[in-house]
Amino acid sequence: MMKGVMAALGHELELPPAIRMHCRAAEIALELEGRRLIVTRDLAEEYRLTVDEEGSSTTYSNAKDYANWFMGLLTESAPSLTNKQKQEAILYPSIVFPAFWVDQDHGWTQDYWTPPNKNFLLDQRQEVIRFLIGLPPRHPFRARTAFEEAKAALEKTEKSIELQRFVINRLERDERFVQGETPRLEQRKAQIEQNLEDSRVVLELIRSTTNVFDRELSALEAQLATLDARDGALGKRREQLSLVFSELEGEEEILTANVQATDLLRQFCGREDCLMFQHSDRSFGRSLLFLKDQIKDMRRTDGQLSREMATVAEEKRLVQAKISAKRAERAAAVEGSPQASISRQLSSLTNELVEVELKLAKLRQLATEQERFNRLLDRREQEVIAVTAARPHGIRGVGALSDARRLLSDSVQQWLTTLGTKNFNGAHFDDDLNLFVDGERFSITTHQSGSTRTRIVLAFHAAILEVALARGGNHPGWLLFDAPKQHELDQADFDAYTQRLQMVASRYPGKLQIVFSAADLKTQFEAGDEVWAPAFAVGGGLRFLGPTA
């Protein structure tokens, strides 16, 4: 099941043949920063993942495109890194997953493991940790332009912060919010809704009183709508007629001028029976008479339209008067009913409910804007570090790295103590973010074994998560532990570990999700925790997977 979760997320790993034979796909639902996503991995295809979000669907058929999308969920500016061939490379999910997923094959033997064919970045382990905790890369590609790009990104974020601060200040000023007002408003909303629900019978009685009026009002409003449509159609016809009328009057003026010009020209003949302009005279005269007849007809039509529009206007006035009178009758009937006083109370409650819901919506908007503001502040912190690290002629990010090393060292020490680790003389991280335990770099060949090695691995992953959250890094907030029985701890130590994880989660609400695969678990769970137990009876035992029918 744990491998299925990671496969659905896009991890490159081998699934059992039976799973590939009987399962069509692995599917997982994600929620990140309010975004709800469904990722489906087609197990029959070599590489095919489909992402569904709010009705839209995108399919990725290669690892690079999917990597760009997935890393975009964790950061707005994924780093451009350098591979072992000194070429440009990106972070793929498969090399980031081992930093927060512990598989049962290799994960419990060392703090970060990837197969040789997946270890292609320069200082890959360090680059992954740097990315998760918000440090700039150790080997950025094209470092010569990194400083300018980092400065431009920082300036853009500074502008976004100022804009976001203005939005929040305006909301707070316009709405005049009271600290801790949301619970009171939620309680009042629930109370009003309950009062309205309790008064449902009264509302039904009021509706029965007004049904006749409502039907008559509906018919009158439909009649008024028909008259409005007719009035609009007549108005359009009159506008068209006016346009044609203007054109005809223009033609009439031209023809009149032509006739007058013909009369003047005829005087050149000096004879009354001159036939020189006879053809033009007849043509202009006939056209002028025809136009005058047309204009006369148009004026008659215009008069008819004016009278029709006046009639429609009068009919509309009468219908509107009837609607006003009917509404007054309806109001009087409601006012005169035994439920009148209750109706006024319900109306007041309904208005108050609208106001309360509007205020809650504004409070939710303010919370969203403040969360966006906090994310911008976290991003600015990372970008300030990036600018410092990329600045030419200086020591790259020494202060930020030193601070991160100190936080990681303190955190892993505390986690090892929480887990009841015995016989160890301290742990710390060096400049390359390697973990040292008892003065020796922790690896698959060091002397720790059994539950001590398990405790170190648990402490390492918890420390990376805790420091990433404290620094506003790019960690998704997930820890997934595939822990078979032979790797389980004493129950008291495991409970201490989970209790401290709960404390971290309380400091960063909505940011953490921890998943354990364990047998014979006796932990006392709290509100919000979930246990997923096997539900399929197969071969005499319970299994997580089974036939669909």
Side-chain angles (χ1 to χ4, degrees):
M1 289 302 298
M2 294 292 282
K3 283 187 175 182
V5 169
M6 300 312 298
L9 284 171
H11 199 12
E12 295 299 311
L13 44 73
E14 287 296 323
L15 294 174
I19 296 297
R20 291 193 172 276
M21 181 181 300
H22 297 290
C23 296
R24 182 185 63 82
E27 184 174 280
I28 190 166
L30 303 178
E31 182 174 345
L32 284 171
E33 303 292 349
R35 297 175 61 186
R36 298 179 181 273
L37 311 136
I38 301 293
V39 182
T40 304
R41 175 75 174 271
D42 190 338
L43 300 182
E45 298 286 339
E46 182 176 354
Y47 197 98
R48 181 183 176 86
L49 288 102
T50 301
V51 179
D52 294 298
E53 180 178 9
E54 295 181 354
S56 65
S57 180
T58 305
T59 298
Y60 299 95
S61 57
N62 64 77
K64 184 175 182 179
D65 290 344
Y66 178 76
N68 287 328
W69 173 82
F70 185 87
M71 300 312 293
L73 296 178
L74 306 183
T75 179
E76 293 188 6
S77 55
S80 180
L81 304 174
T82 306
N83 64 18
K84 293 179 179 179
Q85 287 73 43
K86 308 297 183 182
Q87 297 173 335
E88 185 178 11
I90 63 172
L91 280 172
Y92 284 83
S94 287
I95 66 175
V96 176
F97 287 148
F100 51 81
W101 178 59
V102 180
D103 73 354
Q104 60 177 288
D105 297 325
H106 305 282
W108 298 104
T109 60
Q110 50 195 305
D111 52 18
Y112 174 87
W113 181 87
T114 53
N117 65 328
K118 298 295 182 183
N119 194 352
F120 55 87
L121 292 177
L122 286 176
D123 293 320
Q124 179 168 298
R125 176 187 176 281
Q126 183 182 167
E127 294 287 28
V128 169
I129 295 175
R130 279 174 169 264
F131 170 74
L132 292 176
I133 66 176
L135 282 175
R138 173 69 181 274
H139 303 289
F141 189 71
R142 295 173 183 163
R144 286 178 298 178
T145 61
F147 180 61
E148 289 77 11
E149 292 174 357
K151 282 180 60 179
L154 178 59
E155 290 172 2
K156 182 179 178 182
T157 300
E158 290 284 4
K159 292 179 181 178
S160 298
I161 287 173
E162 288 306 313
L163 178 61
Q164 195 64 22
R165 183 180 285 114
F166 170 77
V167 170
I168 292 173
N169 290 340
R170 188 186 62 184
L171 276 172
E172 292 177 335
R173 182 182 64 251
D174 294 347
E175 301 301 327
R176 298 178 182 175
F177 296 114
V178 178
Q179 188 69 25
E181 190 176 12
T182 300
R184 181 185 65 78
L185 289 173
E186 293 283 3
Q187 183 178 4
R188 181 56 181 157
K189 177 186 174 185
Q191 183 181 0
I192 294 173
E193 289 175 340
Q194 185 59 50
N195 290 342
L196 292 174
E197 178 62 25
D198 294 342
S199 303
R200 188 161 48 86
V201 175
V202 176
L203 289 172
E204 291 298 329
L205 289 173
I206 294 172
R207 289 194 189 97
S208 66
T209 303
T210 59
N211 275 343
V212 174
F213 297 101
D214 290 339
R215 286 195 295 271
E216 292 178 358
L217 280 169
S218 179
L220 287 170
E221 287 168 352
Q223 185 179 350
L224 181 62
T226 301
L227 289 171
D228 283 335
R230 185 180 170 193
D231 191 32
L234 289 171
K236 287 181 180 178
R237 284 183 59 194
R238 194 172 185 192
E239 288 175 3
Q240 294 170 352
L241 188 65
S242 177
L243 180 62
V244 174
F245 188 70
S246 298
E247 293 177 354
L248 289 178
E249 283 185 329
E251 290 291 334
E252 182 187 18
E253 291 176 359
I254 293 171
L255 286 172
T256 300
N258 287 335
V259 169
Q260 293 173 349
T262 303
D263 289 339
L264 291 172
L265 291 172
R266 190 183 292 112
Q267 296 176 10
F268 285 103
C269 280
R271 293 171 50 192
E272 293 185 2
D273 57 347
C274 177
L275 301 178
M276 184 180 297
F277 303 103
Q278 183 180 12
H279 178 72
S280 299
D281 188 31
R282 289 176 181 174
S283 176
F284 291 148
R286 283 196 300 269
S287 298
L288 184 58
L289 288 174
F290 177 72
L291 274 176
K292 287 181 178 293
D293 289 340
Q294 278 191 316
I295 290 171
K296 191 183 297 182
D297 291 340
M298 301 277 292
R299 284 175 176 159
R300 281 197 299 269
T301 302
D302 183 65
Q304 291 173 357
L305 286 175
S306 297
R307 289 189 291 275
E308 284 187 54
M309 291 180 71
T311 301
V312 170
E314 178 62 20
E315 290 179 6
K316 285 172 61 178
R317 186 188 66 77
L318 293 174
V319 171
Q320 288 168 344
K322 289 180 182 179
I323 289 174
S324 298
K326 191 60 64 179
R327 285 175 177 166
E329 290 179 35
R330 184 185 185 280
V334 172
E335 188 65 25
S337 68
Q339 299 83 23
S341 60
I342 299 177
S343 174
R344 287 191 291 273
Q345 294 173 8
L346 294 178
S347 178
S348 176
L349 283 173
T350 302
N351 292 335
E352 185 183 357
L353 179 61
V354 172
E355 292 176 0
V356 168
E357 289 181 334
L358 182 61
K359 193 66 174 289
L360 284 170
K362 292 289 186 180
L363 283 166
R364 286 193 290 269
Q365 182 186 1
L366 178 62
T368 300
E369 299 297 345
Q370 286 176 331
E371 177 64 24
R372 187 176 292 124
F373 182 71
N374 292 335
R375 290 200 298 271
L376 284 170
L377 291 178
D378 290 341
R379 190 198 309 170
R380 180 176 65 180
E381 183 178 347
Q382 292 185 49
E383 288 170 349
V384 168
I385 294 170
V387 169
T388 304
R391 190 181 302 277
H393 312 300
I395 301 175
R396 298 174 57 82
V398 171
L401 176 60
S402 177
D403 178 63
R405 278 187 56 213
R406 178 183 57 79
L407 291 174
L408 284 170
S409 298
D410 292 345
S411 181
V412 78
Q413 281 273 135
Q414 293 168 12
W415 283 106
L416 286 169
T417 302
T418 298
L419 284 159
T421 309
K422 298 178 177 60
N423 301 321
F424 87 101
N425 298 315
H428 71 276
F429 285 79
D430 68 0
D431 286 343
D432 294 326
L433 301 182
N434 295 310
L435 174 60
F436 281 72
V437 181
D438 295 335
E440 185 178 7
R441 178 180 173 181
F442 180 68
S443 69
I444 194 171
T445 59
T446 51
H447 69 276
Q448 294 88 2
S449 61
S451 62
T452 299
R453 182 170 288 270
T454 299
R455 286 176 170 85
I456 294 171
V457 171
L458 288 170
F460 168 81
H461 289 285
I464 296 294
L465 171 65
E466 187 173 33
V467 172
L469 292 172
R471 290 175 47 81
N474 304 304
H475 202 296
W478 306 333
L479 288 181
L480 299 99
F481 297 108
D482 194 356
K485 186 171 183 179
Q486 60 266 30
H487 287 148
E488 293 181 12
L489 308 174
D490 293 339
Q491 191 65 43
D493 295 336
F494 184 82
D495 289 345
Y497 185 70
T498 57
Q499 286 168 8
R500 186 168 174 204
L501 286 171
Q502 289 281 5
M503 293 172 61
V504 175
S506 67
R507 295 203 304 271
Y508 305 96
K511 298 286 188 181
L512 274 71
Q513 185 173 22
I514 318 297
V515 181
F516 291 97
S517 170
D520 301 327
L521 192 61
K522 299 180 178 63
T523 298
Q524 294 297 318
F525 292 97
E526 299 182 11
D529 294 339
E530 292 188 19
V531 176
W532 190 5
F536 291 96
V538 179
L542 290 175
R543 297 289 185 270
F544 282 100
L545 297 177
T548 57

